[in-house]
Amino acid sequence: MSIQLSPLQLMQMVFTKTRVETFEDADGLGEIWAPQFDFEGVNLLVENTVGQQENNTTDFLVALRVAVLNEADAVKKAPYTFDIAVQGVFKLAADFTCDDRYDLVRVNGSAMLYGAIRDMLQQITARSMLGTLLLPTLHFLPESAESKNA
């Protein structure tokens, strides 16, 4: 197996928001064991943005927020209410050629940051009373594919 550097490098990453709370319903502590929790039907909020300076084709800022707010009207509630946001600074190799550099950074950068959020949530909940919560695996699509699927 040959290993080489990716043309997209994560240069810096910072968490801008980390809030995790055990979900408590009106009857007291929710009886949901997190390690066996299925996210099907949960309102998982995912927001991401990509920024880049004008005339700069190599440096990008990607921001990703993942949250489950367990709103009162939510059909299914998760064991934890959480809201986690992270920002990453990415550099794309100047000699890398592709049709849409923005989509490449958005998809791959968001996937890298999602892994960091997933790990942060797992680490925080590992010692929490409802057990470890692991976010589901997501597939980030380019904006062009999103408009076709809408």
Side-chain angles (χ1 to χ4, degrees):
M1 174 170 66
S2 175
I3 297 175
Q4 59 184 356
L5 289 178
S6 169
L8 181 64
Q9 290 294 312
L10 176 60
M11 307 305 290
Q12 180 184 12
M13 180 182 70
V14 294
F15 284 86
T16 57
K17 184 176 197 176
T18 307
R19 185 183 65 118
V20 181
E21 299 172 351
T22 303
F23 173 67
E24 294 188 33
D25 59 17
D27 299 325
L29 188 61
E31 295 182 17
I32 307 168
W33 183 236
Q36 299 171 345
F37 185 72
D38 178 5
F39 274 87
E40 186 70 36
V42 171
N43 184 13
L44 182 65
L45 172 69
V46 179
E47 297 175 345
N48 76 324
T49 56
V50 177
Q52 135 182 60
Q53 291 180 334
E54 195 173 323
N55 300 323
N56 185 332
T57 60
T58 61
D59 300 330
F60 296 83
L61 177 70
V62 179
L64 182 67
R65 175 184 177 214
V66 178
V68 169
L69 303 176
N70 283 331
E71 302 94 346
D73 61 345
V75 175
K76 183 176 178 183
K77 303 213 177 10
Y80 299 97
T81 298
F82 61 89
D83 194 348
I84 303 174
V86 65
Q87 290 182 352
V89 175
F90 291 87
K91 183 173 272 306
L92 187 58
D95 61 350
F96 184 74
T97 57
C98 69
D99 291 337
D100 192 340
R101 296 169 78 81
Y102 175 87
D103 268 351
L104 179 114
V105 172
R106 183 178 168 271
V107 169
N108 293 293
S110 296
M112 284 187 235
L113 295 178
Y114 183 74
I117 288 175
R118 196 172 188 223
D119 182 62
M120 178 66 83
L121 182 63
Q122 184 180 20
Q123 293 297 320
I124 291 171
T125 60
R127 293 185 177 247
S128 299
M129 61 190 335
L130 295 179
T132 303
L133 183 64
L134 182 63
L135 285 172
T137 304
L138 297 183
H139 183 91
F140 290 90
L141 298 172
E143 287 183 345
S144 56
E146 286 176 0
S147 60
K148 290 177 189 173
N149 292 333

